[in-house]
Every structure is written in C-alpha cells, then in structure tokens.
Amino acid sequence: MKPLIISSTLFLLACSTNAGDWPQFRGPGGRAVSEEKGLPVKWSVTENVRWRAELPGRGVSSPVVADGRIYVTAASMYRERRLHVLCFDAANGEKMWERQLAATGNTMRHPKTSMAAPTPVTDGRHIYALFATGDLAAFNRDGDLLWYRALQRDYPDITNQVGMAASPVLAGETLLLPLENAGDSFALGVDVKTGRNRWKAPRRRDINWVTPLVTRFRGKTAALFQTAGDITAYDADTGEILWSHKGNNLGSVPSPALIDDLVIVPGTPSVALRVSADSKPQVVWKSRKLKAAYASPVVYQGRIYALTDIGIACLDAATGQEIWRERLGHGFSASPVIADGKLYIAKEEGDTSVVELGDKPKILANNDLKETLLATPAIANGAIYLRTEKHLYCIAVKR
Amino acid sequence: MRRLIYGQGIVLLLLPAVSLSTQVSAEALAQLKAVGREGAGNETAARAWKEVVQQGPAALPPILQAMNDADAVAANWLRTAGDAIVERALTAGRPLPSEALKQFIRQTQNSGAARRLAYEWLCRVDPKTPDRLLPDMLQDSSPELRRDAVAAVLKQARSQLDKGNKDAARAAYRRALTGACDKDQVDLIVKQLDKLGVHIDVAAHFGFVRQWLLIAPFDNHNDVGFNIAYPPEKSVDPKAVYKGKDGKEARWIAVATDDPYGVVNLNKELGKQKGVVAYAYAAIESPKERPIQIRAGSMNGIKIFLNRQELYHRDEYHHGMEVDQHIAHATLKAGRNELLIKVCQNEQSEEWAQEWKFQVRLCDAVGAAVPFTQVNVP
C-alpha cells in the first residue's frame, strides 16, 4: 500500500506566508499547531498584554496573521447588517485600515454566532474575507479591493438561518468555499485573482459548519469537505471527486485532522480513515471517546486532543485508544490550539486554560479576560492573539 | 496675466467639491456599477476602483451620486472606495468636502444608504454632526439614520423619566414611536409607554396582517409539496373544497390573530400535522398604488405570492423565526390585492422541529407600516 504522504510542510502548498504566521482558521494547514516558543502561560486583562485593540462589532471569527499584520472581521449595527474587515499592525495594535460592506444577504442567526463567523484567510499578500451573509471580498495587504462577490445574490438559497460559519481556505490559486446548506448546497472553488468560479460541486443538502482541509492525493491538491453524511476529497483545481467516504453522524461542526496517512473525522463515533493512493479509504478505528461538539480535534506528536462536553480527551492516533481524560469545565466554542507542548483552550466565559501535555496533563493556568470568548486563538510571532466580544488582544511576554 | 492666474487659483479653491468632482472618471464609476453575477466584471471593476480612489476626496460626491442607482453589489464597490479615500485623506491630514457631504445628506431624494455613508464620513471630521442632523431624521428614508434619530429621542425620554417628568417622557416616547421601525426599539418604547399608561397596538404599528383564510392539508411528504402548485396558487375560491393529503378534505377557514406580532399558529388553527402544506390568504385593499415590502417570519418552508405572482421562496425548516426574516419586494395596486402565503411543514420528529406558524406585515422600504385595510371574504 502506497501511503498518502502528508508532510508537515504540506501547508506551504496552500499559501506563501512566512513561518510563524497564522494564515487561516486553525493556523498553517488548519493543523492548529504553532512552532512558536516562549509564549506566556499566564495573563489577565493587564498582565502580559502587549496591546489591546477595540473592535467595531461582534464576531466569532479568528484573527489571522501574516507578515506583521493581523486581519480580523467583525459585524455591527442592527441585526449585524454592517460587515467589517480590519487590519492591525502586529507590533503595536494600531489599526492600519478598515473596510466596510453593507450585508447583501440574510442576517438571521443563532444568538451565539455572528455574521462575522467565518475566519478570513491570507496568503500574506492578499486577504479573503467571507461573511455569513455570503459577502465575499478580496483585498490586498493595503486594503485595496481586488474583487467582491455577493454570493446570496448569485445563489439565493445558500445561507442557513442559524448562520453560516465555515471558513474559506486557500489551495494554491483556488479559494475553497464551503457553502453547504439546507437549501442550495455546494462546494465552490474560486479563482483567487478574479473571484470567478473555477468549479462548483454539489454537496449534501443540510446545514453544515465544517471548514475544509487541504492535503495531497495522487499528486494532486485535495480539498476535504465533510458533512454529517460524508467526507469527500475534491481536486482543488477542478472540483473532480478524488475519493469519498460515506458515514453516519459525522460531525457537522468540527473539522477533520490529519496525521501521516490517517484522516481523523470527528463524529459520533469519530472515525480514522487510512487514505492510500491505490485503494478506497479504509476505516482503521472508530471511537466514541472523541466526541467533539463545536471544537475541532488537534493532532500533535501522535496523539489526538479533543474537547468533550466537560474537558479534554487524549487518544492514541494510531489505535483510537484513550490515553487520558481531564475535566476542565464546560463552554467550549473555540477549537484548541497547541504550541510549545501546551494546549491552549479558550472558553466561552473568557478564560483560556493552558495545559502542559504529556502522559498526564497538567493545568498550568486559567487566564481570564472577563469577556465572552468564542473565537479560536491565533498564535504567531511569539504572541497569542485572542479575539473577545469587543477586543483583539495581543498576549506576549513583555520585551 | 499673472493676476489672472492668481485669480483662477482663488476661484478653484472656492469651488465646491461637487465641481472638482467633475474630474472623476464617469467611466470608472460606471465600471464599478457594471459588475454582474458570479464575479463578472470584477477585473475591470478592480482597476476602476484604484482609479477612483486615486482621485482622493474630490471623488466622494460622485461616488455618493453613483450609489443612488447602484444595486447592492455595486454599492459595496463604491462604499469601499469611498471608505479608502476618507481613511487615506484623514491619515494625510487632507480635508473632506464637508459642505458637499452635508448637501448630499439633506437632499432626501438621494438613496438612504448613500446618505448614511455621507453622514458617517461627516461624523469622522465633525463629531457634532449627530446633534445637528439627527433631530430632523425621525422619519428618514435611511433605516440606519432613522434608527439613530429614534435612539437620540429615546435618550431624551429616558432622561425625562429619570428626572420624574412623566408627561415629558411620555411625549418623547410617543415621538420616538413615530419613527421606530426596528423591533428592539419598538419593544422598548411600547414597554415604557405601557408603564406610563399608554397602550399601543403593536400589530397596527408594524402593519401586520391579522385576518386570514387558511386551508390544509396538502401533501408535503419528503418535502415534495414545496414545488407543487396546489389549487390555491392558481385561484382562491373561499367556498372550494379539495381532496388533500391522504384523501383528507381541505377547506378554507377564517381566523384572526390577536398576537401583537401577527403570529398565526397553524398547529393551533389547523391541528398538528407533519409533512403538509397550508395556504393563508388575505384580501388587501390599498388606497393607492405603491411599492411595498412584504415581510414575513416563519421557521417553515415559505412562499409569498401577491396577485398570483410568486415573489419569494425559502425551502428551509426549523432554523428559527423572527420578525422581518423574509422580505419580498412588491407593488400594491390601488384597490383589492390578493396576498397568498404558502407555509410548508416537514416531517422532522425532533421536539424542536414541531412548530408550524408564520407572521406577515406590509411596510415600506424603511420598515414603516403602509396603510391598508383587510377586505372581509365570505
């Protein structure tokens, strides 16, 4: 069997950002792992805060970081009808530019989410921002508008009234958009230069919030789209189906994770698929121990870390066997991220738990920012970026 | 000669920004407005965007003018260009054409979105702008300006209430209500007025339709009914009786809702059913022809028809319901109009997927109720 090669440098195929950047939802390659060291373990509203910037509106999207700039989206005004794309200087938190759009699509949503739910994606030179309204805009790093789409105008039935939240990702010259809904439902590959469609593939008709994952398959760049009923790999250049696995009760919110030739598909049960170039995906193991709700699992040094309803579960990625489990309270909307051997878990109440990983977990700190915290943290350039209800925090050891 | 050149310079300096704006390429603005579906025209628009932004503050008035007849997609191209100009001008310490912006805002025939944008730019250079302009904007055609004007009056009302001046507070809340169209503001006003001894007919304020003829059950197993045009979509005969789902008899019944938000609970009126389609019919009399919005709320699959023309549809179930969730653009003709709502219930068995209800109101583009009467249907 020829293993599917998924190297740690694979994410470089999808973007041209620098090492240390955090260009998309869950960072480089969507792996939720940063190579950064020397990050603070403890912080508060005042302690280890390099800067704090006020945001013009709500959002549950994560900040993304590239080349010394931080990009974040927000939504404001009555029923979140105004959409914002903001750029901050990573060094001092000064706002470099802001562009606003009037929402062109339906803004109905569950109270917890926001029209600014999808995390933007950047290749370092351009920023691509999608909103739950279907508004999609591309800017250069200085805020010049390069192209704009109003996807609900193009496809009136795409949005769901709970609120779309899956994030766009980049695969070379293609921007991948998960537009999986109860009405019109499809995956879209958009030309990053023009914003025009490269391909459009029909998807299961049901509301879905899973951000796609980019990998390789038979020499091609593959985009993995997951719903409750399937995980399917599409050729990122053409939209051709490369492989597909049907399932029951796969997750419709958490994203899959990759380790070597395994694709970890969260669900009830979660499934580990071995994907090889010369056969259909094979189920290696199934586990109900990895029961993710909103948060996506993260893979690190052969182990899977997932947030359950009340804490963390650690599983052996090769076998699916549970290694340990730790209570940590509840209220996890953000996905966990890992850096320097530590798991950073942002909780809805505003505190972020820092857990040292190993054969036994050790809770190092619970850091309270005293504001609702629903966005997945970003880690880049020696700092942790946390987006709360009203602010963007840069958490870093003071120089 | 030297004197003449100097004189021309003075004239140029004194010219209002609108005159300077003639230098802005009409072609570039037209290209920004020519973007089509699925990104058609994006490349040309991107070049035009740069060209317009390079013009600096002089381009702001023509950008606003261009927004007057721009569709929502083009309006966002124009909005971002204007925002970029303002941001870069302020960073460079360059002035904005404030007088031209003020004039544009005052001219109420301009689009509400464009006037609001001009207002926001003006606020950035003159923080006193809200105090100066909002008092006259309680009936404004821009929903956002009107909302801010209502908020300003609510602040005055609260202040009077805190001072114990109940009569002044009551008057201020009543004044705020004349402009309020957003549910959160109306709810607040109605609650405060109620405490002050004034009862408001909320359904009338919003323009909810309260009397309906209902008919069911037509088949919607496996959601098939959403796209089937059952007899009421062809014509409404209040005396007609049809063979409905599973051979059940479907006949029209008259109902009236006393819900303040016009909600009609179909489970209550028609009996709890799954996998079915219901229709709701209302005859609406309008004193004159006018453009309106038909705004509905429902967590069920819904279609909106006016005078037998389908205006809106959404095939989505049990993802929540709120006032103004679905918006159809229409024209009421003078005299009698026939409003038909199709409300589909699916077959989900979960506890949270059992509701079957709807609400409909008739309003203008801002959200203020339009005058209409309901015609009794035999």
Side-chain angles (χ1 to χ4, degrees):
Chain A
M1 182 179 283
K2 233 189 271 179
L4 171 71
I5 298 166
I6 303 167
S7 76
S8 61
T9 56
L10 183 62
F11 64 87
L12 292 174
L13 291 166
C15 59
S16 59
T17 50
N18 301 317
D21 286 343
W22 191 268
Q24 66 163 85
F25 177 60
R26 302 177 73 228
R31 293 180 310 140
V33 175
S34 168
E35 303 301 322
E36 296 293 310
K37 309 274 184 196
L39 297 164
V41 169
K42 291 187 178 179
W43 63 85
S44 69
V45 176
T46 52
E47 184 188 3
N48 280 330
V49 175
R50 182 174 291 168
W51 52 258
R52 185 179 83 159
E54 199 165 329
L55 295 174
R58 283 191 71 243
V60 297
S61 58
S62 300
V64 295
V65 188
D67 201 18
R69 296 181 180 208
I70 301 164
Y71 306 95
V72 68
T73 58
S76 68
M77 294 204 175
Y78 183 58
R79 293 192 171 174
E80 297 198 343
R81 287 177 183 151
R82 190 66 65 84
L83 313 171
H84 307 249
V85 181
L86 302 114
C87 173
F88 293 94
D89 186 331
N92 54 27
E94 281 184 17
K95 189 169 78 177
M96 301 182 79
W97 55 263
E98 175 184 356
R99 298 289 172 265
Q100 296 185 18
L101 302 165
T104 59
N106 194 309
T107 60
M108 189 164 158
R109 62 181 170 85
H110 185 279
K112 192 181 268 188
T113 186
S114 165
M115 292 303 101
T119 295
V121 59
T122 179
D123 62 4
R125 290 168 290 126
H126 312 97
I127 176 88
Y128 305 93
L130 173 69
F131 293 87
T133 53
D135 290 285
L136 171 68
F139 300 92
N140 68 15
R141 66 195 300 273
D142 296 322
D144 290 348
L145 183 62
L146 303 177
W147 53 261
Y148 166 65
R149 296 274 300 266
L151 295 170
Q152 268 200 61
R153 289 286 169 123
D154 293 344
Y155 315 107
D157 294 330
I158 54 165
T159 63
N160 78 59
Q161 300 193 35
V162 182
M164 286 200 300
S167 303
V169 297
L170 282 168
E173 297 294 300
T174 306
L175 182 68
L176 302 166
L177 299 167
L179 301 169
E180 294 150 318
N181 294 290
D184 204 359
S185 188
F186 52 89
L188 198 62
V190 163
D191 185 331
V192 293
K193 290 195 176 74
T194 65
R196 303 190 69 169
N197 293 356
R198 298 186 79 180
W199 54 266
K200 183 168 175 262
R203 298 286 294 148
R204 171 190 161 111
R205 276 187 58 185
D206 202 355
I207 52 176
N208 195 61
W209 296 270
V210 179
T211 294
L213 201 59
V214 176
T215 181
R216 298 285 290 177
F217 182 76
R218 292 181 184 163
K220 294 176 176 175
T221 304
L224 305 188
F225 285 77
Q226 177 193 322
T227 67
D230 75 306
I231 179 164
T232 300
Y234 295 87
D235 183 328
D237 292 326
T238 65
E240 174 201 356
I241 292 179
L242 300 174
W243 58 263
S244 186
H245 171 80
K246 304 286 179 205
N248 288 321
N249 295 322
L250 301 180
S252 58
V253 181
S255 296
L258 298 171
I259 175 167
D260 300 326
D261 59 346
L262 288 183
V263 181
I264 311 298
V265 188
T268 311
S270 294
V271 178
L273 295 176
R274 176 160 285 120
V275 182
S276 66
D278 51 9
S279 70
K280 287 183 177 178
Q282 304 292 316
V283 175
V284 178
W285 53 258
K286 291 184 178 182
S287 171
R288 289 182 181 272
K289 302 281 186 184
L290 199 164
K291 192 182 172 187
Y294 297 148
S296 303
V298 53
V299 171
Y300 181 67
Q301 295 181 346
R303 292 178 176 180
I304 305 167
Y305 300 92
L307 298 181
T308 66
D309 290 340
I310 54 167
I312 323 164
C314 172
L315 277 67
D316 184 316
T319 64
Q321 295 299 307
E322 183 174 296
I323 298 172
W324 53 257
R325 183 172 286 264
E326 180 74 17
R327 278 182 177 267
L328 206 64
H330 56 85
F332 307 113
S333 278
S335 292
V337 298
I338 289 179
D340 199 12
K342 301 178 190 72
L343 193 59
Y344 292 80
I345 301 161
K347 291 192 274 187
E348 292 172 357
E349 294 291 312
D351 52 322
T352 301
S353 298
V354 183
V355 179
E356 190 171 75
L357 300 176
D359 288 336
K360 284 186 179 175
K362 183 179 176 186
I363 299 172
L364 300 177
N366 288 304
N367 304 300
D368 192 0
L369 289 178
K370 301 187 185 305
E371 264 188 81
T372 302
L373 179 52
L374 301 174
T376 297
I379 297 179
N381 307 318
I384 303 162
Y385 298 95
L386 293 171
R387 187 259 178 77
T388 60
E389 183 91 349
K390 294 177 180 170
H391 297 98
L392 177 62
Y393 279 87
C394 174
I395 307 292
V397 176
K398 286 201 173 163
R399 296 164 182 155
Chain B
M1 183 67 185
R2 192 174 170 186
R3 193 171 189 162
L4 180 62
I5 292 170
Y6 178 72
Q8 284 174 332
I10 292 289
V11 169
L12 275 176
L13 285 172
L14 294 176
L15 275 174
V18 171
S19 300
L20 289 173
S21 70
T22 53
Q23 300 164 11
V24 176
S25 164
E27 189 185 356
L29 291 170
Q31 286 166 344
L32 288 179
K33 291 165 75 173
V35 286
R37 283 190 71 242
E38 297 188 318
N42 267 343
E43 300 99 309
T44 308
R47 286 191 293 273
W49 192 95
K50 277 202 161 187
E51 185 184 329
V52 169
V53 170
Q54 279 167 2
Q55 298 294 320
L60 295 176
I63 284 173
L64 294 169
Q65 289 288 350
M67 282 180 76
N68 275 335
D69 60 352
D71 67 18
V73 177
N76 271 334
W77 276 95
L78 293 161
R79 174 186 292 276
T80 54
D83 279 349
I85 289 169
V86 170
E87 187 176 81
R88 290 167 191 179
L90 296 182
T91 303
R94 295 177 67 191
L96 301 187
S98 298
E99 201 48 48
L101 296 180
K102 278 180 205 161
Q103 281 177 30
F104 189 88
I105 296 165
R106 285 196 196 102
Q107 289 163 354
T108 52
Q109 75 273 20
N110 290 322
S111 93
R115 289 173 57 245
R116 171 68 192 199
L117 189 55
Y119 171 84
E120 289 176 13
W121 293 340
L122 205 53
C123 286
R124 294 183 68 172
V125 291
D126 181 1
K128 295 276 184 197
T129 299
D131 294 342
R132 258 198 297 274
L133 298 184
L134 288 180
D136 296 327
M137 290 180 159
L138 207 51
Q139 311 298 326
D140 203 88
S141 61
S142 155
E144 292 166 335
L145 288 173
R146 182 188 282 235
R147 182 179 171 80
D148 282 0
V150 170
V153 179
L154 287 177
K155 205 171 162 187
Q156 294 163 15
R158 182 72 248 178
S159 171
Q160 293 295 344
L161 207 56
D162 291 343
K163 289 176 192 162
N165 300 332
K166 287 190 176 179
D167 288 345
R170 194 180 293 114
Y173 281 121
R174 277 187 179 278
R175 202 158 73 80
L177 187 63
T178 65
C181 301
D182 294 338
K183 183 176 179 296
D184 62 335
Q185 289 187 327
V186 172
D187 284 352
L188 174 68
I189 294 165
V190 168
K191 188 177 164 189
Q192 293 296 351
L193 281 174
D194 194 57
K195 284 182 192 167
L196 292 164
V198 180
H199 174 72
I200 299 298
D201 182 343
V202 177
H205 176 82
F206 276 115
F208 279 109
V209 178
R210 291 189 266 198
Q211 295 164 42
W212 296 94
L213 290 181
L214 305 178
I215 192 168
F218 297 99
D219 187 21
N220 193 36
H221 82 278
N222 291 333
D223 302 344
V224 296
F226 188 81
N227 289 318
I228 296 175
Y230 290 112
E233 292 183 35
K234 298 176 184 96
S235 69
V236 171
D237 174 3
K239 292 178 182 165
V241 179
Y242 304 102
K243 196 172 174 183
K245 184 183 180 186
D246 300 331
K248 286 181 188 164
E249 200 173 73
R251 63 171 69 235
W252 292 96
I253 60 166
V255 301
T257 174
D258 57 3
D259 183 89
Y261 299 101
V263 175
V264 178
N265 184 341
L266 295 174
N267 280 335
K268 179 184 155 207
E269 303 295 350
L270 299 169
K272 189 178 169 187
Q273 302 174 68
K274 297 294 286 183
V276 293
V277 171
Y279 289 92
Y281 170 84
I284 303 290
E285 187 88 17
S286 174
K288 64 172 188 178
E289 181 177 304
R290 67 187 313 150
I292 60 157
Q293 292 188 355
I294 303 171
R295 298 190 180 185
S298 178
M299 61 185 67
N300 307 95
I302 187 169
K303 286 189 177 183
I304 299 173
F305 303 83
L306 183 69
N307 299 326
R308 296 188 198 170
Q309 187 185 355
E310 183 183 328
L311 302 173
Y312 178 92
H313 69 266
R314 183 164 284 273
D315 190 11
E316 185 173 353
Y317 293 86
H318 304 299
H319 291 159
M321 170 175 170
E322 67 181 21
V323 170
D324 298 348
Q325 174 183 2
H326 308 287
I327 298 179
H329 300 265
T331 300
L332 271 185
K333 59 187 183 187
R336 183 187 170 107
N337 295 265
E338 299 200 324
L339 176 64
L340 184 73
I341 311 295
K342 182 177 192 176
V343 191
C344 304
Q345 173 65 298
N346 69 359
E347 296 166 291
Q348 280 181 265
S349 57
E350 297 92 336
E351 192 184 342
W352 47 264
Q354 302 307 307
E355 295 203 75
W356 187 28
K357 57 190 183 183
F358 74 99
Q359 60 190 167
V360 172
R361 73 187 188 104
L362 309 180
C363 62
D364 62 19
V366 186
V370 296
F372 68 90
T373 51
Q374 290 204 240
V375 185
N376 287 329
V377 179

